[in-house]
Amino acid sequence: MRVPPVILIVKLIIASALFSSSFISCTAQNGDTGSLTLALPGASSARAITSEGSIPSSYSSDIKAYEIRVRNSDREMVQQISGVTPGSTVTIDKLFPDTYMVSVLAYKTASGNNGASTNTIYFTYDCVTYYGKTEVELSAGETKSASITLGAFNDTGTYQIIYIIPQDGEAFESGQMLNYSCSVTGNGVNFTYTGSETPCTDKSQGTMICSQLNGIANYYWNQKKETFLEPGLTYTFNVTVIKDIILPDDSWGTVQYQGSSTAKVDQSNYENQNSHAITVYVK
């Protein structure tokens, strides 16, 4: 028998109401957790992330995607969502009552090479171009929007310099080449960069600047999405220095110096890098 259109519409409305009621009931039964919602800017618009936050007027349409990082009050990473399409809305649920730090990284694809005339290495990476964060206090059973203003990387990023200083003043000789590695951990970050330095006359090993990432120079590791250090967070820097020595039998050997330092990373720029340096003593 053919159902009259009016009756069919009424059935659809009732079904919709029952579905909504069921959803609300389910949410109420799971009332010990809450949700966070973020509406991310589109690829060709400057609309707000929320009504309270917006991207700069210089927003570029070449943004590839966004990454969302959610940390609890202990700064443990509870959610890390990459590849979020511009213009999409993301809801993160099943969050227990707490104060969460929500970070958003806008990134694009960058490319470069190691600058060598021979054996040139070409590479691409995800480069952070905008960054912002906020804190949201979330109670059980509620859904909140995270209001974040994204700033250009030059105004919000970090440019850290690592100073390596031997506790033994005679350990590093001026003019001697040393190899080093530095592992950075904390707040969901875990990576290692390597390089080499010639000690300064004051017996310090010199500096580890942002221009090296596993031997690839010219592009800054601190702009890479995977190795981006967020300002205001604390990280641990574990340093190993390898020094070549001449053994008693006149053969070559090596000796290692190790040290560790935990420090909060502050936002800095090219003009004031030195004031935000991390010092690691090795022995």
Side-chain angles (χ1 to χ4, degrees), residues 19-278:
F19 174 79
S20 299
S21 174
S22 173
F23 177 79
I24 294 171
S25 175
C26 179
T27 303
Q29 292 175 0
N30 195 27
D32 55 340
T33 62
S35 303
L36 290 174
T37 299
L38 294 93
L40 299 165
S44 59
S45 67
R47 66 186 180 83
I49 292 182
T50 70
S51 59
E52 299 178 17
S54 63
I55 57 179
S57 59
S58 59
Y59 175 75
S60 174
S61 61
D62 63 355
I63 296 300
K64 172 185 174 181
Y66 296 93
E67 177 168 298
I68 301 170
R69 300 175 180 178
V70 181
R71 298 180 176 90
N72 60 21
S73 55
D74 293 326
R75 293 299 181 254
E76 298 170 333
M77 190 89 73
V78 296
Q79 286 280 353
Q80 185 172 3
I81 307 171
S82 221
V84 180
T85 305
S88 60
T89 298
V90 176
T91 298
I92 302 169
D93 54 13
K94 298 182 180 179
L95 296 174
F96 290 101
D98 201 351
T99 298
Y100 292 92
M101 192 185 86
V102 185
S103 305
V104 173
L105 288 69
Y107 59 93
K108 64 181 180 181
T109 300
S111 60
N113 61 73
N114 63 346
S117 56
T118 59
N119 299 321
T120 304
I121 300 175
Y122 296 94
F123 59 93
T124 60
Y125 63 94
D126 290 331
C127 175
V128 177
T129 53
Y130 293 97
Y131 169 75
K133 69 177 184 291
T134 190
E135 289 195 351
V136 179
E137 185 177 352
L138 193 63
S139 300
E142 72 173 341
T143 297
K144 279 190 175 181
S145 295
S147 303
I148 300 175
T149 299
L150 294 182
F153 178 86
N154 289 342
D155 300 321
T156 61
T158 56
Y159 300 86
Q160 294 302 310
I161 290 182
I162 313 299
Y163 286 111
I164 303 175
I165 301 177
Q167 289 186 341
D168 178 359
E170 300 300 320
F172 300 163
E173 298 178 6
S174 178
Q176 181 183 48
M177 184 64 71
L178 304 169
N179 295 314
Y180 62 74
S181 66
C182 180
S183 298
V184 184
T185 59
N187 295 291
V189 167
N190 188 349
F191 67 93
T192 299
Y193 57 90
T194 61
S196 59
E197 284 286 354
T198 300
C200 303
T201 56
D202 61 357
K203 307 298 183 183
S204 69
Q205 193 261 338
T207 60
M208 297 168 57
I209 58 177
C210 303
S211 60
Q212 291 276 345
L213 177 63
N214 294 332
I216 299 176
N218 301 328
Y219 281 83
Y220 294 94
W221 59 258
N222 59 316
Q223 289 183 340
K224 294 178 172 65
K225 176 171 66 68
E226 292 78 11
T227 57
F228 175 56
L229 301 183
E230 297 183 47
L233 296 184
T234 299
Y235 300 91
T236 298
F237 302 84
N238 299 294
V239 174
T240 298
V241 178
I242 300 175
K243 168 185 167 182
D244 292 330
I245 60 172
I246 299 178
L247 299 174
D249 61 359
D250 290 333
S251 63
W252 283 98
T254 60
V255 61
Q256 290 190 4
Y257 297 83
Q258 294 181 322
S260 180
S261 180
T262 298
K264 185 176 75 171
V265 171
D266 292 320
Q267 185 273 326
S268 60
N269 54 43
Y270 287 111
E271 285 70 34
N272 65 354
Q273 288 183 60
N274 291 333
S275 64
H276 296 273
I278 305 298

